[in-house]
Amino acid sequence: AFLSGTCGECEIHALTMSVMDEVKERYGESIGHLLQNTNVISFVNACCRLAWQMAVQQPPLIARTSITRYDDNLHQLFYSSPPPITYEGGSTGIIDFYIWPILCQSENVLHKGRVCLKPP
């Protein structure tokens, strides 16, 4: 409870620097100039803070992208997605890709995933 209550106040500079070093190592120095941009640094810092907050929750928050069949209870369609196949109990379709993952805590869906379906 202490960590989840204070995670917004934690110093995450070391985590941010570690992520930026990993990006440099993985993608080369050719993008090093982007990592000097204050907007990029702010974005990486915000991502690291969110990841830290998700990790210290009890129970932890989980981003799910492994479900391949559309479910109205778990997903929202991206605006350019083909429509799902509808039937009496709901609708279904095969997910082509996720725009945004399903955000869960335990078995509770906190935010539906945004998906694009494969054409029928």
Side-chain angles (χ1 to χ4, degrees):
F2 174 76
L3 280 178
S4 62
T6 60
C7 61
E9 302 165 11
C10 291
E11 176 56 50
I12 58 161
H13 180 74
L15 178 60
T16 301
M17 296 312 296
S18 175
V19 167
M20 292 178 68
D21 289 344
E22 178 68 25
V23 169
K24 284 180 199 173
E25 184 178 316
R26 191 172 287 193
Y27 298 104
E29 289 295 325
S30 61
I31 66 163
H33 68 284
L34 290 175
L35 300 178
Q36 303 302 319
N37 182 301
T38 56
N39 291 325
V40 173
I41 294 169
S42 293
F43 177 76
V44 171
N45 191 53
C47 290
C48 288
R49 181 163 303 284
L50 177 60
W52 176 251
Q53 289 173 331
M54 289 176 66
V56 299
Q57 291 293 314
Q58 284 301 329
L61 298 180
I62 300 167
R64 295 179 64 188
T65 58
S66 59
I67 299 170
T68 58
R69 189 164 291 280
Y70 179 79
D71 181 334
D72 288 325
N73 296 317
L74 301 174
H75 304 104
Q76 288 180 323
L77 291 177
F78 188 60
Y79 74 93
S80 64
S81 175
I85 299 166
T86 57
Y87 61 95
E88 190 175 309
S91 56
T92 190
I94 303 299
I95 295 172
D96 192 13
F97 58 90
Y98 277 78
I99 305 294
W100 190 256
I102 304 165
L103 187 60
C104 302
Q105 189 170 36
S106 295
E107 294 301 315
N108 300 320
V109 175
L110 301 178
H111 195 275
K112 291 182 178 184
R114 185 65 57 106
V115 296
C116 190
L117 300 180
K118 291 183 179 182

